[in-house]
Amino acid sequence: MTLRRTLLALLSTGLLAATTLAAAPAQAAWTPTERWHGAVTQACKVGLANGKVRVKVRVNNTNGTDRAAAGLNRVRADGQPARAWTYTRTVARGAVSSPVSLDFEPGSRVWLLVGSNVGITGERAYALRSLDRC
């Protein structure tokens, strides 16, 4: 192997390792919640300047066996979901969706779900404090 090829190989390996290390914390920031056929709804939160909390949700379908989507909603005082449903796009198995989000008052609960082409397949309310920070 020539010196040039050796240097390129070392540089490529170093860049790959640096990219992998840099990406690890971002992956760790998503809290896994609802699951269905290998798909996982993942959520995280961000504090906003106005005191509210933004919850971001995506569906990680990298280990899924079917198409899947995720969603979120506010929780009413009676514990039921409100009428603010927000959904990711449905993604094929092997894919991760772009996130969607809703803003919440501090101390609120968020309704999270995973779904398929036939509808909601798993859902539950979570306290905002239980979600990782993005």
Side-chain angles (χ1 to χ4, degrees), residues 46-102:
V46 178
L48 301 176
N50 63 4
K52 291 187 177 189
V53 177
R54 177 162 294 152
V55 175
K56 297 180 182 183
V57 171
R58 69 182 186 183
V59 64
N60 183 333
N61 201 19
T62 55
N63 296 315
T65 59
D66 202 349
R67 296 177 58 78
L72 75 159
N73 196 349
R74 295 184 179 94
V75 179
R76 298 186 322 215
D78 65 1
Q80 295 301 308
R83 293 183 184 215
W85 290 108
T86 303
Y87 301 97
T88 66
R89 66 181 176 85
T90 301
V91 295
R93 51 188 192 171
V96 178
S97 74
S98 299
V100 294
S101 64
L102 277 176

Side-chain angles (χ1 to χ4, degrees), residues 5-76:
R5 285 187 182 169
T6 303
L7 289 174
L8 285 173
L10 288 172
L11 181 60
S12 297
T13 305
L15 288 175
L16 178 61
T19 303
T20 303
L21 290 174
Q27 293 295 333
W30 292 96
T31 303
T33 61
E34 301 306 295
R35 299 172 189 272
W36 178 77
H37 290 216
V40 181
T41 297
Q42 297 175 316
C44 65
K45 64 186 175 191
V46 178
L48 301 176
N50 63 4
K52 291 187 177 189
V53 177
R54 177 162 294 152
V55 175
K56 297 180 182 183
V57 171
R58 69 182 186 183
V59 64
N60 183 333
N61 201 19
T62 55
N63 296 315
T65 59
D66 202 349
R67 296 177 58 78
L72 75 159
N73 196 349
R74 295 184 179 94
V75 179
R76 298 186 322 215

